Amino acid sequence: EHLARLREALFLAVAIDDLAEVVRLESEVPPKLWKFWAYRLKLVERASRRCRPDLVNALPRIAGKECPGVEVVRKRREGLEKRPRPGSADATLERQRGEVLIGLV
């Protein structure tokens, strides 16, 4: 029962991007179980998709397709946060796209 609560707490901590709680839970969970939960609950994949490099670093390293790595996550994050220069053609296009989307809703 105690481990079930820890597993749920870990899942929720990653879901709400609570890095401090993830670090705290790591100290309470045995290392092999920590790695298994990170894999089984797809925690690294979730943190990577949402571009949270700090969470990816706190979770255990998982190799393969599920884990694109910190550099890939950082590049994706930069791409998401990039904004065009105000007054540029790209800024106008982005504004017009936004207005069209708002108009559809």
Side-chain angles (χ1 to χ4, degrees):
E1 189 173 295
H2 176 67
L3 288 177
R5 281 194 218 129
L6 288 175
R7 186 182 66 235
E8 288 175 14
L10 178 60
F11 184 82
L12 289 174
V14 171
I16 63 172
D17 301 326
D18 188 349
L19 179 60
E21 182 68 6
V22 170
V23 171
R24 186 189 71 77
L25 289 168
E26 181 180 11
S27 66
E28 293 187 33
V29 177
K32 284 186 178 183
L33 189 56
W34 176 255
K35 289 180 181 179
F36 175 73
W37 283 349
Y39 167 75
R40 184 75 174 133
L41 300 173
K42 298 183 180 182
L43 301 179
V44 175
E45 182 179 353
R46 290 170 192 270
S48 298
R49 281 188 182 163
R50 290 193 328 268
C51 299
R52 303 291 191 258
D54 52 341
L55 276 177
V56 172
N57 283 334
L59 294 167
R61 301 268 182 236
I62 298 176
K65 193 170 98 178
E66 276 70 61
C67 183
V70 176
E71 286 304 313
V72 173
V73 169
R74 186 172 290 121
K75 286 179 185 177
R76 287 181 187 171
R77 183 67 175 206
E78 288 171 1
L80 289 172
E81 293 176 349
K82 184 180 176 185
R83 294 286 172 235
R85 188 175 35 86
S88 69
D90 289 336
T92 303
L93 183 62
E94 185 175 296
R95 181 182 50 80
Q96 289 172 343
R97 259 192 226 126
E99 288 172 354
V100 167
L101 289 173
I102 289 171
L104 293 173
V105 177

